[in-house]
Amino acid sequence: MTADDTQVPSPPADLWTELASAELSRSGHRASTRRAAVIELLGRQQCVVSAREISEQLRAQGDPVGIATVYRTLELLTDLRLVQRLEMGSEPGLYEPAMPSGDHHHHHFVCDECGRVTPFEDPGLERAIKRLAGRMEYTVGDHEVVLRGGCPDCAPAP
């Protein structure tokens, strides 16, 4: 259930990693080598990854970080708006680095059959969201769009 490698803007790894570490410290959370390893690995992601995948990748690198530490770190980063969580229905959620400013923002297609996740960006969609917010007299801070259906490999031919 990994993300397709379609190129979309992602936060620069060094910038995001420094910001995440600083925000955790600023909010009173002490640094640990295991939490730092989770942050480093997550910062290098181009799109979504599961907590289990993070744990497995860290173990493969020789850094035995437990799944509980991964989940706790992801929860803290989500609360600080530094991680976006993509809900996958009955499957575990997927996570990706995010900037609180909304920079490097994108959306996702999710295949209901195989779980493939394909990130996308669409300036027209962003403009439509802004127009709708204005018409409804709302200020939109954050938003996410998840389109579900069938990927090219799973969808029936027209």
Side-chain angles (χ1 to χ4, degrees):
M1 200 179 303
T2 58
D4 197 345
D5 59 0
T6 305
Q7 292 298 315
V8 295
S10 295
D14 292 343
L15 174 65
W16 184 85
T17 301
E18 289 174 21
L19 178 62
S21 298
E23 287 300 313
L24 283 170
S25 176
R26 190 176 358 266
S27 62
H29 300 283
R30 63 186 157 83
S32 75
T33 56
R34 293 204 163 114
R35 184 179 290 154
V38 172
I39 291 169
E40 288 283 329
L41 189 139
L42 189 58
R44 293 190 307 266
Q45 299 303 307
Q46 293 299 306
C47 194
V48 293
V49 64
S50 73
R52 184 154 312 285
E53 289 169 324
I54 291 171
S55 182
E56 288 170 0
Q57 288 179 36
L58 289 171
R59 285 180 194 277
Q61 293 172 193
D63 199 347
V65 175
I67 193 73
T69 299
V70 173
Y71 274 115
R72 280 193 302 273
T73 302
L74 291 170
E75 184 177 324
L76 289 171
L77 294 169
T78 300
D79 290 347
L80 293 169
R81 298 180 52 220
L82 290 163
V83 165
Q84 179 178 335
R85 185 171 196 264
L86 177 61
E87 295 295 332
M88 296 299 293
S90 63
E91 299 290 323
L94 300 175
Y95 302 86
E96 67 184 341
M99 298 298 281
S101 63
D103 291 345
H104 310 286
H105 172 75
H106 62 264
H107 303 289
H108 304 93
F109 283 104
V110 177
C111 180
D112 292 329
E113 288 294 316
C114 69
R116 177 178 169 185
V117 177
T118 304
F120 73 93
E121 59 179 331
D122 186 325
L125 176 59
E126 298 300 325
R127 288 189 299 274
I129 290 168
K130 286 180 183 173
R131 280 193 311 272
L132 177 61
R135 193 172 77 226
M136 300 300 293
E137 299 179 2
Y138 268 74
T139 302
V140 175
D142 291 338
H143 70 274
E144 58 186 81
V145 175
V146 178
L147 302 174
R148 298 184 184 276
C151 72
D153 294 335
C154 296

